[in-house]
Amino acid sequence: MRVLHFFKTSFPDTMGGVEQVINQIARGANKLGVKTDVLSLTPDRVPRTIEIDGYLAHRARLDLQIASTGFSFSAFLRFAQLAKQADVIHYHFPWPFMDVVHFATRMKKPTVVTYHSDIIRQEHLLKLYRPLKRKFLASVDRIVATSPNYLATSDVLGMFSDKVSVIPIGLDKATYPQAMPDRLQYWRERLGPKFFLFVGVIRYYKGLHILLEAAQGTGYPIVIVGAGPIEQELKSQAARLGLRNIHFLGQLPDEDKVALLTLCYGVVFPSHLRSEAFGISLLEGAMYKKPMISSEIGTGTTYINVADETGLVVPPSDPVALRQAMRYLWEHPEEAAEMGRRAEQRYWEHFTAEQMVQSYVDLYEELVRQHHDRSR
């Protein structure tokens, strides 16, 4: 069996959450005998095809970008070529240009779309895109939601509930590097023995401005790992508030990220908008046995972090509640450690890459069988 994944970006060009999911599925499916191609766009002048972890990453040249949507003239032909070889086409939503390519190439192959998020920010453009979006989702064979929470709270998914499956995102801990003693010692000396950790791309919906407000008057060391479009804005806010307990570390190698996940006291994840549909770095916290703090936004964050079981859940955009949650964990170390143990247990029960990949491969096989039956 051969599967083609299609999304606007992928490893190694970018390292975000959707890219991580595609990588985990592709490398895991390869171990089960499923050949995988990934097609994405790249700003490189001369796009190349490279092998990553047993699958092929193909790139078409990015020609234009409008409202976070990349467009590529060469992608039409490249997609058509790769789709002809595929048994299943696996789309990753949202990306409006993908919908256009889907209809323009008229591929009669089994199709599945992983629905990563509703479109939240571009309200005016969404009105123009809505008819195409509905036509696209109606045309695919299966839609996958990444958590039962998101399925229950998405109006769009509710319209297509008869063909929605839930497959939680999973991670393979074996693909993460070991925390090396020298890096552990380095960060322990630099940050001290007890700190909260945030990891992620610094975007508007991550709620970090709320975290900075919550940090006032606490003195708790808070480490922020990642870079992004509002990074400077947040640094200015921290300076304005006179915060000396915030450590902006920027983008770090995986070896350092793992060391910080190993050392941190707890993971704080203040995303306050539904654009945060799941929370890969929150799941990493669970994988590393850490108690978590997140907001209730009706998405997968609360599927990972179960209130009062694996951590604390607070209302979104509420710095006072977030401050109280940090204080509670800080002052109750035994309970915090027990939450971390339950978080790790929940990871092994629900969120391993092995479980996710097997569910997708089973779905691929089901769609291929159905397609063959219809073709007879």
Side-chain angles (χ1 to χ4, degrees):
M1 183 189 299
R2 195 175 197 106
V3 176
L4 170 63
H5 290 260
F6 191 35
F7 188 57
K8 60 186 175 182
T9 183
S10 68
F11 284 9
D13 289 332
T14 53
M15 311 289 280
V18 177
E19 299 94 309
Q20 170 82 307
V21 172
I22 294 171
N23 178 258
Q24 292 277 349
I25 297 172
R27 67 192 298 168
N30 176 63
K31 295 175 183 176
L32 298 179
V34 177
K35 295 181 179 179
T36 302
D37 297 286
V38 176
L39 176 61
S40 61
L41 307 188
T42 179
D44 292 348
R45 288 190 173 185
V46 184
R48 296 176 297 120
T49 294
I50 61 174
E51 183 175 339
I52 304 175
D53 299 321
Y55 67 90
L56 294 177
H58 311 266
R59 275 83 61 79
R61 184 176 174 180
L62 172 67
D63 295 312
L64 178 67
Q65 187 141 327
I66 303 173
S68 300
T69 295
F71 295 83
S72 168
F73 296 111
S74 61
F76 289 93
L77 177 59
R78 196 75 184 101
F79 175 85
Q81 292 170 336
L82 293 168
K84 284 181 181 177
Q85 304 170 19
D87 298 293
V88 177
I89 298 170
H90 189 156
Y91 296 113
H92 294 268
F93 181 96
W95 182 28
F97 176 71
M98 173 181 70
D99 307 19
V100 175
V101 172
H102 168 75
F103 288 115
T105 53
R106 298 182 180 181
M107 282 296 139
K108 292 181 170 52
K109 296 290 180 76
T111 49
V112 57
V113 56
T114 297
Y115 191 96
H116 291 279
S117 173
D118 294 331
I119 297 176
I120 306 297
R121 201 176 193 188
Q122 292 89 4
E123 293 183 14
H124 299 298
L125 291 175
L126 178 58
K127 292 178 182 177
L128 298 174
Y129 170 52
R130 188 175 289 120
L132 176 61
K133 176 188 70 176
R134 290 179 177 174
K135 185 178 180 183
F136 170 71
L137 292 173
S139 71
V140 298
D141 295 306
R142 193 70 60 88
I143 301 170
V144 173
T146 56
S147 73
N149 301 46
Y150 212 89
L151 173 57
T153 58
S154 169
D155 292 337
V156 175
L157 288 176
M159 295 170 56
F160 303 98
S161 58
D162 59 324
K163 61 176 176 180
V164 176
S165 301
V166 174
I167 301 178
I169 291 171
L171 298 176
D172 182 358
K173 192 174 183 181
T175 64
Y176 285 65
Q178 292 290 319
M180 301 306 292
D182 62 325
R183 301 317 295 164
L184 291 170
Q185 183 64 22
Y186 170 82
W187 289 114
R188 194 180 287 114
E189 291 177 357
R190 179 172 172 182
L191 300 170
K194 192 175 179 181
F195 59 88
F196 287 110
L197 176 67
F198 167 88
V199 179
V201 180
I202 301 180
R203 301 188 190 280
Y204 70 96
Y205 60 82
K206 294 293 183 178
L208 290 170
H209 61 291
I210 303 161
L211 177 60
L212 296 186
E213 289 184 47
Q216 293 182 90
T218 66
Y220 307 144
I222 298 172
V223 175
I224 297 175
V225 175
I230 65 166
E231 183 177 358
Q232 194 54 51
E233 183 181 321
L234 287 169
K235 289 179 178 178
S236 298
Q237 181 189 0
R240 191 169 63 252
L241 295 174
L243 298 176
R244 299 181 179 276
N245 52 325
I246 307 297
H247 304 269
F248 289 96
L249 300 185
Q251 198 73 41
L252 292 176
D254 285 347
E255 291 79 5
D256 288 299
K257 188 178 83 168
V258 166
L260 292 169
L261 281 165
T262 302
L263 291 172
C264 73
Y265 183 71
V267 168
V268 60
F269 199 76
S271 296
H272 64 304
L273 298 174
R274 282 181 59 81
S275 300
E276 188 68 76
F278 192 78
I280 295 291
S281 57
L282 190 65
L283 182 56
E284 289 176 331
M287 189 169 71
Y288 279 89
K289 205 176 182 177
K290 302 301 174 179
M292 299 168 281
I293 301 173
S294 60
S295 300
E296 177 55 84
I297 50 177
T299 71
T301 62
T302 320
Y303 186 58
I304 300 168
N305 183 24
V306 179
D308 302 321
E309 179 182 324
T310 62
L312 301 177
V313 178
V314 300
S317 303
D318 190 336
V320 174
L322 183 55
R323 183 183 304 127
Q324 291 172 341
M326 288 192 291
R327 180 176 296 124
Y328 186 87
L329 288 186
W330 194 266
E331 295 177 353
H332 296 83
E334 290 184 4
E335 190 170 347
E338 180 57 33
M339 287 178 172
R341 284 190 286 271
R342 289 195 291 259
E344 183 190 33
Q345 181 181 354
R346 185 165 173 78
Y347 158 73
W348 288 110
E349 289 176 354
H350 299 284
F351 300 111
T352 65
E354 184 179 7
Q355 291 167 298
M356 174 183 68
V357 171
Q358 188 61 63
S359 295
Y360 272 113
V361 171
D362 291 344
L363 177 57
Y364 297 153
E365 292 174 347
E366 177 188 340
L367 293 177
V368 169
R369 284 196 303 270
Q370 292 175 352
H371 181 74
H372 287 165
D373 290 344
R374 288 196 298 266
S375 301
R376 288 177 180 174

